[in-house]
Amino acid sequence: MASHSVREAIAAFRRAPGLALLSAMSIGLSLFVLGTFGLVTYNVEVTLRTIERRVEVVAYLRDNVSAEQLEVLQNDVGSFPEVENVTHVSKFEAMRNAMQQLEEFREVFTDLEVNPLPASLEVQLRPDYRDPESVQRVAELIALYPFVEDVQYGREWVEKIYQLRRLGGAVAAVLGIAFAVVAILIIGTTVRMAVLARREEIVVMQLVGATDGFVRRPFLLEGFITGLAGGALALLLTYGAYLAVNGSLIDLEWLPPLWATLGVLAGGILGLAASDTALRRHLVTYA
Amino acid sequence: MIKLINVYKEYPRSGLALKNVSFHLRKGEFAFLIGPSGAGKTTILRLIHMVESPTDGEVRVSGYSSMRMKRRDIPRLRRRVGMVFQTFRLLRDRTAAENLAFALEVTGGRRSEIKGKVQRLLAHVGLAPRAGAYPDELSGGEQQRIALARALIHDPVVLLADEPTGNLDERASRGIFELTRDINSAGTAVLMATHNLDLVRRYPQYRVIELADGAVVYDSAGEARESGGES
C-alpha cells in the first residue's frame, strides 16, 4: 500500500514535471518571503541582544570609601539575584579609561594635579533582568548605601531598547502569520490545480472501490515532497539573499541550523496541509 | 440482493427526482431500466452505488443498507457492485492493461497477481491483442469493453450499466450487449439503464422496469403501476 503511494507520487512528478516544478517554485517563492523575513527578525533579535548585554548599572563611590566598605558593597550587590557580575573600577582605572576613550582630552587629563574621577562599581545584570523595572530596582537598592554618591543606568536608553524589543516581537508575530497565510493560500491553490488535473483518476479510484486513505495518500505524499522541495528552494534563495547583502550593505548573521531545518520542514507540512484541504473538497463523491 | 423500498430522492434545486420507487433485483437477474431522459434512471444507479443517499426510504445492496451505511464501508460495497458509463471513464494516459491494473493496485491487489488477472480479463472481453493501446487508439466499442473488464475486476455480484451503448454504433452496441449477457450468464446480476428500446424489444425474456417522472410506471416482474406519489 505504502509502495503504491510512493510509486504514484513519483509517477505524478514524471507525468507532469512542469506542474510539479511550478508548484515547488510557487511554494519556494512564498516561503522565500517568509525566510527573508525570518533572517531579518533573527538579526534584529541578535542585535538587540548585543545591545542589551551592554545594559549595566554604574554606582559612583565617594572618595572616602574604605576597603572594607567596598568589599561589603561588592559582596552585597553580587548576591542580588538580578546581578550577573560586579566589577570595581578604581579612580586610577577610571582616569586611564577616560584617557584611552577620550583622546582629545588626554592633555587636559595629564595636566590635572588631582584625579577628579570617582571610583565606581560596574554592575552587569543577568539576561532575564535587563528590563527597565529590574534595572531601576537594582539601581535604587545600590543607591541606599551611604558611600554611593550616584547611580546611573541610562534609564531612557534601557526603556527604548525594551520597547523596541517588544515592538519587534509583535511585528514579527503579525507579519510572520500574514506571510504564512499567504504561503498557505498559494500552496493550497497550487495543490488544488494538481488535484483537479487528476480529478478523473480520483473518480476512477472511488468508482472501483479504493478506500479514502488509498486515494488520499499519493496526493498527500506529493504535497509533502513538493512542499519540502519548495522549502529547500526557499532556503537556497534566502541564503543567496544573505550572501548578497552580508558584508556589502550590512553585517548579518546566518540563521541557526534549527531555524533552517524547521523552515524546510514547514514547507513540507504546509504542502501536506494544503493537499489535505484540497482533497477534502474533491473526495466527497464522484460526479 | 438489490432492494429499493419506497425510495424518494429530492435535490435542493431540481426538486423530486424519485417518487416512492420500490423494486427487488434478485441474484443473477437481468433487468432493463428504461424511461425518457430525466426519468430517474441514473439517480437509481447512483443510489445503488451509494454515491448519494435517498431522501426517504431505503436502498439495500448485497447486505448493506443506505440507512446504516458508513463512509468507510462504501469502498467494500463498490467492489461488489461494478459500474460502467456511457462515457467509459477510462484514464487517457494509461494503456488498456494499465487501466485494469490501476483498478487492482488502488484496491490493494498484490503485484504478483495483477498481471495474470489483467490478462485474463482482457481475454474475457476479447481485447488481449490490444493490451498496450491507449484509450484514444481504441474504438468506442473497445473502450466500453475495457470499462466492462474494469467493472468485473473484483468479481462483483451485480453490474450496473448506465447507457453503456449510448455512444456506440449498432454493431458495437450488439457486441457490448452480448458481452453483458455473457457476464450475466456467469452469475452476475445486471441492471442496465438504456434508451435503446429496439434492444429491449429484442430480448423479451429480460425484465423491464420503466420510469417516468421519477416513478416506476411499469415492472414486467410484477403488475403495471400507476405513476408514484401515493405511498
Side-chain angles (χ1 to χ4, degrees):
Chain A
M1 248 169 131
S3 68
H4 166 81
S5 306
V6 174
R7 262 186 289 126
E8 277 302 309
I10 293 170
F13 288 128
R14 279 212 194 121
R15 270 197 294 272
L19 187 64
L21 196 70
L22 195 72
S23 307
M25 277 174 67
S26 305
I27 295 172
L29 287 175
S30 52
L31 287 177
F32 167 55
V33 177
L34 206 58
T36 314
F37 177 70
L39 188 66
V40 172
T41 309
Y42 177 68
N43 276 277
V44 168
E45 175 76 21
V46 167
T47 311
L48 283 177
R49 240 185 284 142
T50 314
I51 297 171
E52 268 187 357
R53 235 175 269 139
R54 293 185 202 153
V55 169
E56 61 177 15
V57 177
V58 182
Y60 294 103
L61 307 172
R62 293 185 193 282
D63 283 350
N64 57 2
V65 65
S66 69
E68 291 78 29
Q69 285 172 323
L70 181 64
E71 198 182 333
V72 167
L73 179 62
Q74 244 179 313
N75 288 339
D76 282 2
V77 174
S79 67
F80 291 173
E82 297 92 341
V83 172
E84 185 172 73
N85 183 27
V86 183
T87 314
H88 173 239
V89 180
S90 67
K91 283 174 72 73
F92 173 74
E93 284 166 334
M95 175 58 84
R96 194 184 57 197
N97 292 346
M99 285 171 78
Q100 275 172 0
Q101 287 166 13
L102 306 166
E103 282 183 26
E104 57 275 35
F105 294 111
R106 190 172 285 169
E107 282 181 22
V108 180
F109 287 135
T110 317
D111 292 346
L112 288 171
E113 288 177 5
V114 181
N115 179 359
L117 299 179
S120 63
L121 283 186
E122 289 177 1
V123 182
Q124 282 180 326
L125 302 177
R126 293 181 194 279
D128 291 347
Y129 295 104
R130 287 170 187 161
D131 58 288
E133 289 77 23
S134 303
V135 178
Q136 191 180 356
R137 192 168 58 242
V138 172
E140 283 170 357
L141 279 173
I142 297 173
L144 292 175
Y145 289 86
F147 38 89
V148 172
E149 191 163 24
D150 190 17
V151 182
Q152 287 186 359
Y153 64 92
R155 182 195 184 108
E156 283 183 12
W157 179 229
V158 171
E159 278 175 3
K160 266 189 190 150
I161 291 175
Y162 199 68
Q163 270 179 358
L164 204 63
R165 203 170 205 284
R166 283 203 300 197
L167 185 72
V171 170
V174 171
L175 284 183
I177 290 170
F179 285 140
V181 169
V182 171
I184 287 173
L185 287 178
I186 292 176
I187 294 167
T189 310
T190 312
V191 176
R192 194 145 67 233
M193 271 164 54
V195 170
L196 279 174
R198 288 164 64 196
R199 191 154 198 280
E200 201 54 26
E201 206 171 296
I202 297 177
V203 165
V204 171
M205 288 169 104
Q206 291 180 312
L207 183 68
V208 298
T211 57
D212 280 354
F214 218 99
V215 176
R216 293 160 57 89
R217 236 171 277 136
F219 287 99
L220 292 178
L221 192 65
E222 193 183 330
F224 182 67
I225 294 172
T226 311
L228 272 188
L233 180 68
L235 188 66
L236 269 177
L237 290 173
T238 310
Y239 191 66
Y242 159 79
L243 287 181
V245 173
N246 188 36
S248 57
L249 293 175
I250 43 169
D251 286 333
L252 286 176
E253 271 197 46
W254 177 237
L255 296 172
L258 183 69
W259 283 45
T261 314
L262 285 178
V264 176
L265 265 180
I269 289 163
L270 281 179
L272 193 72
S275 296
D276 187 62
T277 314
L279 280 169
R280 271 174 210 282
R281 295 185 176 199
H282 295 287
L283 273 188
V284 179
T285 178
Y286 69 81
Chain B
M1 209 212 15
I2 289 180
K3 213 169 191 178
L4 275 74
I5 306 161
N6 305 121
V7 169
Y8 287 80
K9 181 66 190 176
E10 189 172 4
Y11 294 105
R13 285 187 193 162
S14 51
L16 218 50
L18 292 179
K19 299 173 215 165
N20 196 26
V21 171
S22 300
F23 65 82
H24 182 190
L25 186 79
R26 288 179 177 79
K27 198 176 172 193
E29 200 175 358
F30 193 118
F32 288 114
L33 202 54
I34 62 165
S37 294
K41 304 188 294 292
T42 300
T43 305
I44 286 179
L45 298 184
R46 286 169 67 85
L47 288 176
I48 295 171
H49 216 218
M50 304 275 177
V51 179
E52 45 199 346
S53 316
T55 312
D56 198 9
E58 185 183 4
V59 178
R60 288 188 203 157
V61 185
S62 189
Y64 293 96
S65 164
S66 62
M67 296 176 96
R68 291 179 292 279
M69 199 70 188
K70 294 190 181 96
R71 188 173 165 85
R72 65 167 186 272
D73 291 329
I74 293 177
R76 247 173 286 159
L77 165 93
R78 293 202 181 142
R79 292 176 202 188
R80 310 194 69 179
V81 182
M83 187 148 181
V84 290
F85 304 87
Q86 185 174 349
T87 51
F88 321 130
R89 298 214 122 140
L90 297 176
L91 299 174
R92 318 221 77 75
D93 58 348
R94 293 168 200 249
T95 64
E98 284 168 352
N99 263 281
L100 300 185
F102 178 76
L104 281 169
E105 280 168 15
V106 299
T107 47
R110 275 189 233 141
R111 289 190 87 185
S112 55
E113 292 171 4
I114 289 176
K115 202 176 170 189
K117 184 144 196 181
V118 167
Q119 279 173 345
R120 273 200 303 282
L121 279 165
L122 281 169
H124 181 49
V125 298
L127 282 179
R130 308 285 280 146
Y134 286 91
D136 290 340
E137 297 165 352
L138 297 168
S139 70
E142 287 174 326
Q143 289 188 56
Q144 194 60 289
R145 282 171 186 271
I146 298 297
L148 273 168
R150 185 179 63 192
L152 297 179
I153 214 138
H154 299 298
D155 306 314
V157 289
V158 61
L159 172 69
L160 305 176
D162 193 0
E163 302 280 359
T165 59
N167 274 350
L168 306 179
D169 60 30
E170 177 60 30
R171 195 161 158 258
S173 295
R174 214 176 310 128
I176 290 300
F177 188 70
E178 287 307 323
L179 188 55
T180 51
R181 288 186 70 194
D182 286 350
I183 292 164
N184 177 243
S185 57
T188 307
V190 175
L191 183 60
M192 183 185 288
T194 184
H195 273 121
N196 191 340
L197 293 181
D198 285 343
L199 195 73
V200 177
R201 284 190 203 106
R202 216 178 301 140
Y203 298 94
Q205 69 271 38
Y206 293 138
R207 181 178 172 186
V208 176
I209 301 166
E210 187 180 355
L211 292 167
D213 289 331
V216 175
V217 290
Y218 174 75
D219 185 346
S220 64
E223 293 174 6
R225 297 186 214 175
E226 283 299 310
S227 180
E230 74 278 12
S231 52

